[in-house]
Amino acid sequence: MKYIVIKFGGSNLKCKEDFYRIIKVLKIYDRPVIVVVSALYGITDRLNDALMRIQKSRKEIKGIIEFLKETHLSIINQYIDKTGEQKELCKRIEARVEELEKKFMGIYYFGDVPDFVHDWVLSFGERLSSLLLCSLLNVFGIDAAEALPEDIGLITDGIFKNASIDFEASIHSVQKTLSENKTYIIPGFYGISKEGKITLLGRGGSDYSAAAIARCVQAESLDIWKDVPGFSSVDPKILPNAISIKKLTYSEAAELSYFGAKILHPQTVEPLLHYSIPLRIFNIKTFSGELQPVTYIADTKVITPSIIKSVTYSDDFSILGLNGPGVGIKPGIMAQVTTILNQNNINIKSIITTQTRIKLLLSRFDIDKGYQLAKSLHLATLDEIKTEDDISLIAVVGEGILNQPGIAARTFQAVFTQGINVRLISAGASDVAIYFIVSKNDKIQAVKAIHEEFFSKS
Ligand code: ASP
Ligand code: MG
């Protein structure tokens, strides 16, 4: 029988009741499954913050160690009153936390956090939650074993902080080690480089871990449990009348995640395509004993009358502009700039060019470094290198968007009617998305206007 891979994120791992819910859910599956977990809510941020503080002050070590013990042990203590079992479990959690303490001392003495130490430390949030969940499941009569990425051979490309899975190197060993037909609990968020170092898969990366494992074992489905009603036509925080989306294709889900919908890590869909593994999103808040997904993501295209399924936005984009009379015709400028960015692990999110301008869209976290790198090339053909970071990207996404006349016109008409200036447009590069840039201040109004156009009128 094929496995189902199930993922629970940090927002479902806050308190005692959350663990009750998870145990209830796993009992409904009633078969061996692979469970991938995030850290308990807020723990990764706390670890990150501690890394900064410990470099300057030794006193901080005690604080974070106590906090980690307290947070995890209090869940055990609230659950179990059989003293023997409780003591045993607490000891195991404490032992794992104490592994961290020694490294923290090293960080304090060196006054620095090399990347490999950073990734090692941040992976502990997940390593603690997987141990905790696995132990609780055992206490509640679910036979489960913890399987760490280093033990199953989940191999990455070795890039610290933002690694990708190397499937060729991983598939065989992951399949082999997860073959006993029992329930496994795996910490998400990291894999191992070929040299054996822990490498993180980027913030929010447990979704991607789960998808990667699903691909390695050719899972029947990847089930991601959330505490929100799946994908929706717009961020419900902007418009409470957002409509929940029942079905999406892989491309639609990928574009929406990439362009800001915070439901999934943007790389989650990619590993699933290979074997067309369906991705089912569930809302644990409305779980009533049935495995009924709120959003189902697969190959099957559903073209709705309004074509657009969702309008989304992201503030994590900045523009690196390269201006000069010949940039569009002189060969090599783009190659040099993209090479130096690549060598420095800066991801280019998109590129738009004209004869006199090249605009590279980078994460706003990379823009200053990207600017310095481009400058360092001293390219004579460039009159000016400049950055724009007071911007937001808005995307409208839906299958059929490029084949249906008038969608772009309606989108931009809705924005122009509000008197909002569009600073840059891209259409055609993706089959299912049109995106454009506006000033950050105009973002909410533009998103609302587009949603109104497609979801209130048709
Ligand atoms: N705990 C990690 C984070 O907060 C990974 C995840 O939650 O997916 O980014
Ligand atoms: Mg997450």
Side-chain angles (χ1 to χ4, degrees):
M1 190 169 59
K2 282 185 169 183
Y3 266 116
I4 294 179
V5 176
I6 303 169
K7 188 252 170 182
F8 295 103
S11 51
N12 296 325
L13 295 161
K14 277 190 193 135
C15 57
K16 181 183 167 194
E17 285 68 32
D18 290 335
F19 282 85
Y20 272 131
R21 285 197 204 112
I22 290 178
I23 292 168
K24 234 162 107 188
V25 165
L26 291 178
K27 287 200 164 156
I28 294 291
Y29 278 96
D30 196 25
R31 61 191 265 186
V33 290
I34 295 174
V35 180
V36 176
V37 274
S38 294
L40 300 197
Y41 184 73
I43 294 289
T44 312
D45 287 334
R46 275 301 283 264
L47 286 168
N48 205 17
D49 184 55
L51 280 180
M52 302 304 132
R53 290 165 182 272
I54 288 168
Q55 290 176 64
K56 296 192 194 94
S57 160
R58 185 178 173 159
K59 274 196 257 151
E60 299 287 340
I61 299 179
K62 193 160 172 259
I64 179 77
I65 294 291
E66 294 290 305
F67 171 77
L68 290 173
K69 282 189 185 168
E70 163 62 26
T71 320
H72 293 83
L73 296 186
S74 78
I75 293 192
I76 297 178
N77 292 335
Q78 286 176 58
Y79 256 106
I80 315 169
D81 36 49
K82 284 181 259 162
T83 351
E85 261 173 336
Q86 188 185 36
K87 269 205 181 130
E88 175 54 33
L89 265 184
C90 291
K91 258 204 235 153
R92 290 171 64 195
I93 296 277
E94 277 171 337
R96 204 164 272 187
V97 174
E98 278 151 21
E99 280 182 57
L100 267 171
E101 201 166 351
K102 293 184 200 123
K103 294 287 193 291
F104 283 158
M105 286 305 280
I107 291 170
Y108 168 67
Y109 282 119
F110 280 110
D112 192 16
V113 187
D115 285 349
F116 79 94
V117 177
H118 169 276
D119 283 17
W120 191 90
V121 168
L122 260 63
S123 73
F124 260 75
E126 272 64 16
R127 283 199 267 180
L128 288 168
S129 64
S130 69
L131 178 60
L132 179 62
L133 179 63
C134 186
S135 309
L136 286 177
L137 290 179
N138 290 336
V139 170
F140 280 81
I142 298 178
D143 186 20
E146 197 189 19
L148 301 177
E150 53 269 49
D151 298 334
I152 62 174
L154 189 65
I155 307 295
T156 68
D157 58 8
I159 297 188
F160 290 111
K161 297 184 178 174
N162 201 17
S164 296
I165 300 296
D166 178 341
F167 285 100
E168 229 175 89
S170 305
I171 284 179
H172 182 67
S173 70
V174 172
Q175 257 180 21
K176 220 171 99 197
T177 43
L178 301 181
S179 61
E180 280 184 34
N181 207 25
K182 63 177 176 196
T183 290
Y184 293 99
I185 313 296
I186 302 180
F189 192 32
Y190 75 93
I192 301 297
S193 72
K194 287 206 171 111
E195 294 73 37
K197 293 263 190 283
I198 283 183
T199 43
L200 299 181
L201 304 172
R203 290 305 305 266
S206 303
D207 290 342
Y208 175 52
S209 305
I213 291 162
R215 172 170 171 194
C216 289
V217 301
Q218 293 186 33
E220 183 181 313
S221 71
L222 168 61
D223 293 0
I224 296 191
W225 286 79
K226 297 262 159 200
D227 60 353
V228 291
F231 277 93
S232 48
S233 58
V234 65
D235 181 350
K237 284 193 208 107
I238 291 190
L239 279 174
N241 64 347
I243 299 157
S244 199
I245 308 173
K246 292 208 165 44
K247 282 190 176 165
L248 286 173
T249 56
Y250 292 120
S251 317
E252 289 172 324
E255 299 283 5
L256 283 172
S257 311
Y258 188 69
F259 289 130
K262 291 179 191 68
I263 300 279
L264 288 180
H265 181 282
Q267 261 176 294
T268 312
V269 167
E270 191 188 294
L272 305 177
L273 300 174
H274 210 76
Y275 299 112
S276 298
I277 299 167
L279 167 50
R280 308 190 295 176
I281 297 180
F282 293 89
N283 184 359
I284 206 158
K285 274 198 177 151
T286 54
F287 173 66
S288 60
E290 263 176 74
L291 293 177
Q292 186 60 48
V294 279
T295 304
Y296 183 89
I297 299 157
D299 278 331
T300 331
K301 286 186 191 173
V302 177
I303 300 192
T304 54
S306 68
I307 303 288
I308 300 300
K309 299 233 177 45
S310 183
V311 45
T312 185
Y313 68 90
S314 170
D315 293 336
D316 183 23
F317 284 82
S318 291
I319 299 173
L320 178 64
L322 313 172
N323 302 341
V327 293
I329 38 173
K330 277 256 166 42
I333 295 173
M334 186 96 98
Q336 289 186 65
V337 176
T338 54
T339 304
I340 199 164
L341 294 178
N342 185 32
Q343 283 163 347
N344 286 277
N345 285 334
I346 293 185
N347 180 34
I348 300 168
K349 291 172 169 247
S350 187
I351 301 181
I352 297 175
T353 64
T354 68
Q355 292 295 69
T356 58
R357 269 155 212 225
I358 297 175
K359 295 203 177 209
L360 302 160
L361 295 186
L362 308 183
S363 163
R364 75 189 158 92
F365 297 104
D366 291 332
I367 193 70
D368 291 339
K369 193 165 166 201
Y371 173 79
Q372 295 303 340
L373 290 168
K375 275 239 167 218
S376 73
L377 293 170
H378 300 293
L379 293 167
T381 5
L382 295 184
D383 290 343
E384 185 187 35
I385 300 179
K386 65 181 225 177
T387 61
E388 294 170 62
D389 46 19
D390 56 337
I391 57 164
S392 293
L393 182 143
I394 296 178
V396 285
V397 174
E399 286 287 348
I401 202 166
L402 293 186
N403 305 329
Q404 174 83 15
I407 298 292
R410 277 175 72 191
T411 304
F412 293 118
Q413 191 56 39
V415 176
F416 296 143
T417 311
Q418 302 294 313
I420 294 171
N421 181 33
V422 172
R423 292 166 59 169
L424 196 145
I425 297 175
S426 171
S430 156
D431 286 349
V432 300
I434 296 173
Y435 66 82
F436 56 94
I437 303 274
V438 297
S439 296
K440 205 176 266 169
N441 290 341
D442 294 331
K443 158 191 81 185
I444 304 282
Q445 205 185 341
V447 167
K448 282 184 176 168
I450 297 167
H451 193 269
E452 166 81 18
E453 170 64 32
F454 288 99
F455 294 92
S456 305
K457 290 189 179 168
S458 53

